[in-house]
Amino acid sequence: EAGVAQSPRYKIIEKRQSVAFWCNPISGHATLYWYQQILGQGPKLLIQFQNNGVVDDSQLPKDRFSAERLKGVDSTLKIQPAKLEDSAVYLCASSNFMNTEAFFGQGTRLTVV
Amino acid sequence: GQQLNQSPQSMFIQEGEDVSMNCTSSSIFNTWLWYKQDPGEGPVLLIALYKAGELTSNGRLTAQFGITRKDSFLNISASIPSDVGIYFCAGQLRNQGGKLIFGQGTELSVKP
């Protein structure tokens, strides 16, 4: 079974530029999560989708971050404009249903300079 | 909001030694999960615990869901060099849609 796919693996941008990350969850997984992991910390949830609906986006900085999962499968996370403090690893995870184990992709390491 | 306190922050051990790390919270969780993260990779699920008091093993790894539902521990027996990495605990709440709250991680170094 293929795991969670994310791209790109690495991205370096200048502050105030925009960037987008892509995630393809495990086939059949209805729940998709985006987490932000700052160096030296545990992942922190940004947004959770159930199919194509948002379940929790309470920690998403909505003035600059947006995410969508239009057909209930792939998802994109966008940052516009980026700030230096957005430098982090952005992890996508998926699970069969809510409240079951989540499986993570390899992440996208973003560096904002 | 909920917070998890994971300890120790780091451990330096000799190959063959046993390791123990734990996670505590002021909140009750329905599920505890333990993940391992290697450099440049995403977290990989090691063990999932669903019931208070549950003790579960996965090879040399053993984890327990605390009776109070506010804590969990992970033991690694007879450590080997490939055990090196960062171990995270995560608590999950049913009434929050499965959202995971992560600890700060325990960085394990194993000296051959």
Side-chain angles (χ1 to χ4, degrees):
Chain A
E1 180 181 80
V4 176
Q6 288 189 247
S7 68
R9 287 294 311 274
Y10 307 94
K11 191 75 177 177
I12 301 174
I13 62 172
E14 294 182 351
K15 60 184 178 185
R16 290 188 289 274
Q17 286 187 324
S18 60
V19 64
F21 313 127
W22 173 82
C23 172
N24 182 237
I26 292 172
S27 178
H29 279 194
T31 308
L32 185 147
Y33 311 82
W34 283 101
Y35 284 84
Q36 181 192 57
Q37 186 176 24
I38 292 171
L39 188 64
Q41 299 182 19
K44 185 186 81 172
L45 181 71
L46 291 175
I47 188 167
Q48 176 185 345
F49 292 94
Q50 180 67 15
N51 296 309
N52 60 352
V54 174
V55 173
D56 185 346
D57 63 357
S58 57
Q59 299 297 305
L60 189 74
K62 297 180 188 63
D63 57 334
R64 299 183 300 105
F65 286 64
S66 64
E68 59 183 14
R69 194 184 184 199
L70 291 175
K71 295 182 180 177
V73 181
D74 294 5
S75 177
T76 55
L77 175 70
K78 295 179 182 176
I79 308 175
Q80 181 179 17
K83 292 185 175 180
L84 295 177
E85 59 260 36
D86 297 332
S87 294
V89 175
Y90 290 85
L91 294 162
C92 179
S94 70
S95 62
N96 211 347
F97 304 104
M98 291 193 287
N99 299 308
T100 58
E101 306 97 53
F103 297 90
F104 285 81
Q106 292 180 299
T108 296
R109 180 174 297 278
L110 174 67
T111 303
V112 183
V113 298
Chain B
Q2 298 99 350
Q3 282 190 331
L4 295 187
N5 296 309
Q6 189 171 347
S7 64
Q9 276 192 306
S10 60
M11 301 182 76
F12 296 84
I13 62 169
Q14 198 78 32
E15 182 177 0
E17 289 183 350
D18 296 345
V19 169
S20 185
M21 58 192 79
N22 69 77
C23 232
T24 59
S25 171
S26 56
S27 304
I28 290 174
F29 288 100
N30 301 112
T31 303
W32 283 94
L33 301 151
W34 285 92
Y35 288 86
K36 179 179 182 241
Q37 188 173 29
D38 292 328
E41 301 293 329
V44 173
L45 181 65
L46 299 174
I47 291 181
L49 302 156
Y50 301 101
K51 290 195 310 189
E54 179 181 356
L55 185 72
T56 297
S57 292
N58 177 8
R60 294 178 296 105
L61 277 59
T62 302
Q64 184 156 31
F65 192 144
I67 290 289
T68 64
R69 294 168 60 195
K70 293 182 179 180
D71 62 330
S72 177
F73 72 75
L74 175 71
N75 286 344
I76 305 173
S77 61
S79 58
I80 59 178
S82 61
D83 291 334
V84 165
I86 303 179
Y87 292 79
F88 289 99
C89 62
Q92 189 177 54
L93 281 169
R94 282 197 207 105
N95 64 0
Q96 292 194 19
K99 167 181 169 179
L100 294 175
I101 309 294
F102 280 84
Q104 307 97 312
T106 294
E107 184 170 10
L108 178 64
S109 300
V110 179
K111 194 190 309 185

